[in-house]
């Protein structure tokens, strides 16, 4: 089975909300996820996450800490996802690749259709 290693940003604000993005492409189009993406050769997870968030959202983030590494089997591949708690340093979270985005309070986290691996993290909040 193909293996994909990615990083994901659990971006929070000073109100305790979490930033969620809706996929605009692929097999899981319209599902919700934490923004992020694939690591490139030679990158640390933190470097990859900062690069991915800049590319996807034109935003600079501060990576605070690793929350969890999720191992998940999708039908076509095995996913290793390193999830980091982050906050915005500068920028306006401008959507470049996603269909939509929402800031969700803890009581709203179940209001969107999360990707299975992301849901594994969300349900622990």
């Amino acid at each position: 089975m193909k293996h994909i290693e990615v990083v994901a940003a659990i971006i929070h604000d000073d109100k305790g909300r979490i930033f969620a993005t809706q996929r605009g492409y692929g097999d899981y189009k319209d599902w919700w996820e934490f923004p992020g993406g694939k690591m490139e050769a030679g990158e640390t997870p933190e470097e990859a996450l900062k690069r991915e968030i800049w590319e996807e959202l034109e935003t600079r983030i501060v990576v605070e800490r690793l929350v969890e590494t999720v191992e998940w089997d999708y039908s076509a591949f095995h996913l290793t996802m390193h999830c980091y708690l982050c906050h915005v340093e500068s920028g306006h979270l401008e959507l470049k690749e996603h269909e939509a985005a929402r800031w969700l309070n803890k009581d709203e986290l179940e209001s969107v259709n999360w990707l299975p691996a992301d849901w594994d993290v969300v349900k622990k909040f």
Side-chain angles (χ1 to χ4, degrees), residues 8 23 26 41 51 80 91 97 102 120:
R23 291 177 64 91
R51 177 187 50 76
T80 299
E97 296 182 13
R102 290 178 55 191
D120 199 47

Side-chain angles (χ1 to χ4, degrees), residues 1-6 28 31-32 68-83 113-124:
M1 181 178 278
K2 182 178 177 180
H3 179 248
I4 298 175
E5 187 170 16
V6 300
Y28 287 93
W31 290 60
W32 291 77
E68 180 175 0
T69 296
V70 175
E71 301 287 343
W72 194 269
D73 287 326
Y74 285 96
S75 58
F77 60 93
H78 177 80
L79 179 74
T80 299
M81 181 173 63
H82 307 286
C83 302
N113 189 26
W114 291 94
L115 286 167
D118 294 72
W119 175 243
D120 199 47
V121 177
V122 169
K123 64 186 178 186
K124 296 175 183 173

